[in-house]
Amino acid sequence: MLKFNADGSFVHWEYSPSVARTELCRLIARLDLPLCFGQSDAFQDYITNAHNPRFVKSSRQTTARDLIGLYNNRVEQLTDVLKNSVSSVALTSDIWSGKAKEDYISVVAHFLNPDWCLKKRLLGLKPIEVAHTGVNIAERVEMVASDYGITDKIFAIVLDNASSNKIAIDVLKPVFSGYIGSLMPKPARIDDDLAAVFLHQRCACHIINLIVKSCLKRLKPYLEDFRTAITFLNSSNQRIASYKQYCLSVGVRPQKLLSFLQLFYDSTVALSGVYYPTLPLMLHHILKIARHLNAYENHELLRTAVVPMKTKFLKYWREIPLLYSFAFIIDPRAKMRGFHKVLQKLSVLNGQDYARYPSSIRCKLTKMFPVYESKFGDACLRTSTLPAVSGMGTEAWDDIYGDEEAFAESTFSLASRVLEERRRRLTPDLVEVLSCIKDWELADLHKQHTVEKETKDLEAAFEAMYLDNEEETSPGTKRKEQEGGSGPDAAARKKDKGPATEPSSSRGKRA
């Protein structure tokens, strides 16, 4: 038997039990299969009858050892890349609760490889059996960063708005200050402390989630009535059919709230991207949301909900975070001219005076540039091509540069599958091993999750509930359409609150 290589050459292929066990580990991690899958009679019959009669099934214990060996191998490779080929790393972290009443803290790295391609890797999923205090959170984040040798390469950490995370950042500042520089003396202004300014970044998708929650809180009495009515309808197929026929007959499909919330969903999807930088998009979406809230502020049906939403928006984004401004200005399509345009529009929408802000930003950017010039000046000269940036079309620039008169959410959903009900027996070490291997396998295939991809299965699940679809579609046609569509992974994001796991904090990334 011959095995063809990627370059077209071929070699003699021979069956290797160790390779077979390694590939079984990859399969189990990627498809969230039970560890005893390799010892099942059904799997052995399938392999021996259809593929290889020499296959020998693996016990659960053997598979567990093989998984740990594969994980250690991959950790070694990733550590080498991060230590020797990566100049800076941004981290995101969150806490998860599993069905077995065990809490885990995830640490995810985002970095540029030597080819200037953005990469995401899950570095660790550590159990946190103690109280979720800032000190305990900081201890585990520092432990993961130290294991991979990147404590002096941390540029920023994105966390949600829990008070414990603020304390965690205070603990981590002196540990992770090596990338930008040492902390300034105590009398110095906080704005001059570069490590303090850049290190802690609030999760933008979490802020969007809080804005939408402030809307839903005001609509709670109506939503409870909706849920009661939906529960009543869903208890019988006949009731669903009768209700659908009624709505079709009167031509009614209420979706005012859906239309209003669509923009927040779109922003969450765009800002949760994995394979393109999202920071330069922040001011675009802040502008979109500010305009959207102003447009509905006096709406007769939604104004009672929009006012608290605007209050929440201003609480977090009245003052524009420094890093948002830097990322926007560095974009060659924006520069200072585009920045001035954005501030003018936000000033009208928010009623804020940003007149002095551009000069302050220019001063800080001038102070920051020599730091990067000294670190990476020669690296820029060696770079010949840069990857295209996705996530923001030309219409966004029309919003900024267009006619003034026209101016009127990485980390990590796979934990929900790894920590589900049927896997309560997994030790914390194996939870981390399975989570990391799955993430790294998807990264190799450039198929790590995105919000947009993962929500398709939710949309498909409720497709039959749309009242103005399929009335003229035969069952056979409908089946063909479903079979022709692309099947997304079944993983549900944590804010969907599926049966398996949910974050212990209030963080959610979909509006």
Side-chain angles (χ1 to χ4, degrees):
M1 297 183 66
L2 300 179
K3 176 184 177 182
F4 286 89
N5 298 319
D7 60 0
S9 62
F10 57 87
V11 295
H12 179 65
W13 181 86
E14 290 187 2
Y15 172 69
S16 169
S18 62
V19 172
R21 297 205 321 254
T22 299
E23 292 302 312
L24 175 63
C25 291
R26 297 179 62 210
L27 178 68
I28 288 174
R30 289 169 65 179
L31 297 183
D32 304 302
L33 299 172
L35 268 62
C36 60
F37 180 74
Q39 70 182 23
S40 66
D41 293 334
F43 179 68
Q44 184 182 28
D45 289 344
Y46 167 69
I47 296 297
T48 55
N49 294 334
H51 297 284
N52 190 348
R54 290 181 288 172
F55 174 78
V56 178
K57 59 183 180 182
S58 300
S59 67
R60 186 185 190 278
Q61 292 74 19
T62 299
T63 300
R65 289 195 298 269
D66 290 341
L67 279 166
I68 293 173
L70 176 60
Y71 167 79
N72 289 333
N73 224 11
R74 295 296 299 265
V75 165
E76 201 174 304
Q77 296 172 15
L78 181 57
T79 302
D80 181 65
V81 170
L82 291 173
K83 279 185 175 180
N84 302 317
S85 304
V86 174
S87 58
S88 61
V89 179
L91 299 181
T92 60
S93 181
D94 202 2
I95 296 177
W96 292 82
S97 295
K99 281 289 185 180
K101 307 301 180 185
E102 297 172 333
D103 295 339
Y104 292 84
I105 182 168
S106 65
V107 180
V108 180
H110 302 262
F111 55 92
L112 289 171
N113 69 2
D115 297 325
W116 285 77
C117 294
L118 189 59
K119 300 293 180 181
K120 164 191 165 287
R121 295 293 187 275
L122 173 63
L123 300 185
L125 189 65
K126 301 296 183 184
I128 179 167
E129 306 92 344
V130 294
H132 300 172
T133 64
V135 174
N136 290 331
I137 292 172
E139 178 185 352
R140 282 153 181 80
V141 173
E142 179 186 352
M143 177 174 62
V144 173
S146 177
D147 288 344
Y148 284 90
I150 56 173
T151 52
D152 60 343
K153 297 184 177 185
I154 306 300
F155 171 69
I157 305 176
V158 179
L159 302 168
D160 63 21
N161 298 320
S163 57
S164 56
N165 286 332
K166 298 178 182 178
I167 299 173
I169 289 296
D170 290 337
V171 176
L172 290 172
K173 278 177 185 176
V175 180
F176 291 160
S177 62
Y179 175 72
I180 296 178
S182 60
L183 294 169
M184 301 290 286
K186 286 291 183 184
R189 285 167 43 87
I190 188 66
D191 287 351
D192 294 328
D193 187 349
L194 297 178
V197 167
F198 291 110
L199 187 62
H200 185 198
Q201 299 299 319
R202 298 178 185 271
C203 175
C205 294
H206 179 236
I207 293 175
I208 294 175
N209 180 264
L210 294 177
I211 293 172
V212 172
K213 278 186 175 179
S214 66
C215 165
L216 300 180
K217 182 178 180 181
R218 269 65 184 182
L219 301 176
K220 185 176 181 181
Y222 302 103
L223 295 177
E224 289 178 348
D225 291 340
F226 293 154
R227 291 190 180 105
T228 301
I230 290 171
T231 301
F232 173 78
L233 290 172
N234 281 337
S235 63
S236 167
N237 290 341
Q238 288 76 15
R239 290 173 183 171
I240 286 286
S242 299
Y243 178 64
K244 181 175 180 178
Q245 289 301 320
Y246 166 76
C247 292
L248 291 173
S249 64
V250 298
V252 173
R253 186 188 179 191
Q255 56 176 1
K256 194 68 179 179
L257 185 60
L258 174 64
S259 301
F260 171 68
L261 294 178
Q262 182 67 41
L263 179 134
F264 301 96
Y265 169 79
D266 292 341
S267 292
T268 302
V269 169
L271 297 175
S272 300
V274 172
Y275 298 116
Y276 55 86
T278 56
L279 194 61
L281 311 181
M282 279 307 309
L283 283 185
H284 293 278
H285 287 279
I286 287 177
L287 181 60
K288 282 176 177 285
I289 293 173
R291 181 188 295 113
H292 192 62
L293 293 176
N294 266 42
Y296 281 89
E297 193 169 19
N298 296 317
H299 192 278
E300 58 180 350
L301 297 177
L302 297 175
R303 59 188 173 193
T304 57
V306 172
V307 171
M309 292 178 76
K310 190 169 183 179
T311 301
K312 187 72 69 173
F313 171 87
L314 293 175
K315 175 183 176 180
Y316 291 105
W317 286 333
R318 174 186 282 111
E319 295 183 7
I320 302 171
L322 187 66
L323 205 56
Y324 294 3
S325 303
F326 280 15
F328 184 83
I329 293 169
I330 291 174
D331 189 323
R333 296 167 292 184
K335 300 183 180 179
M336 287 301 297
R337 175 172 169 261
F339 188 59
H340 278 284
K341 286 282 188 181
V342 169
L343 293 181
Q344 290 171 5
K345 296 176 184 295
L346 286 176
S347 180
V348 174
L349 291 168
N350 300 338
Q352 302 298 309
D353 183 8
Y354 295 106
R356 297 182 179 179
Y357 190 58
S359 59
S360 173
I361 289 297
R362 187 187 292 272
C363 178
K364 291 182 173 63
L365 189 57
T366 302
K367 185 184 299 184
M368 191 67 196
F369 184 79
V371 177
Y372 274 87
E373 179 69 17
S374 62
K375 286 176 174 284
F376 311 116
D378 58 338
C380 294
L381 296 177
R382 295 196 303 266
T383 305
S384 56
T385 59
L386 296 178
V389 176
S390 307
M392 189 61 66
T394 56
E395 69 279 357
W397 298 101
D398 293 337
D399 289 342
I400 295 174
Y401 291 119
D403 187 356
E404 291 291 336
E405 294 180 359
F407 166 61
E409 232 182 37
S410 204
T411 222
F412 169 69
S413 66
L414 52 88
S416 61
R417 300 292 300 277
V418 174
L419 303 178
E420 66 181 2
E421 180 77 24
R422 62 193 172 94
R423 285 184 155 187
R424 287 190 176 191
R425 292 177 56 197
L426 290 177
T427 64
D429 286 343
L430 279 176
V431 168
E432 181 177 38
V433 166
L434 287 166
S435 301
C436 290
I437 291 177
K438 180 174 182 179
D439 180 76
W440 300 339
E441 289 286 329
L442 293 174
D444 292 341
L445 298 171
H446 206 72
K447 290 183 178 180
Q448 284 167 310
H449 73 271
T450 63
V451 174
E452 187 173 22
K453 175 177 179 291
E454 290 174 356
T455 51
K456 287 181 181 178
D457 60 325
L458 293 176
E459 295 168 358
F462 292 96
E463 183 179 2
M465 299 182 68
Y466 285 107
L467 301 177
D468 58 356
N469 287 342
E470 303 176 6
E471 57 263 29
E472 297 179 1
T473 304
S474 66
T477 304
K478 181 177 184 290
R479 181 162 55 249
K480 289 179 181 178
E481 290 174 352
Q482 290 176 341
E483 292 172 354
S486 59
D489 294 339
R493 293 192 68 79
K494 61 185 177 181
K495 63 278 174 190
D496 295 324
K497 298 186 178 180
T501 182
E502 61 185 48
S504 58
S505 68
S506 60
R507 181 179 179 183
K509 290 188 178 178
R510 182 184 312 145

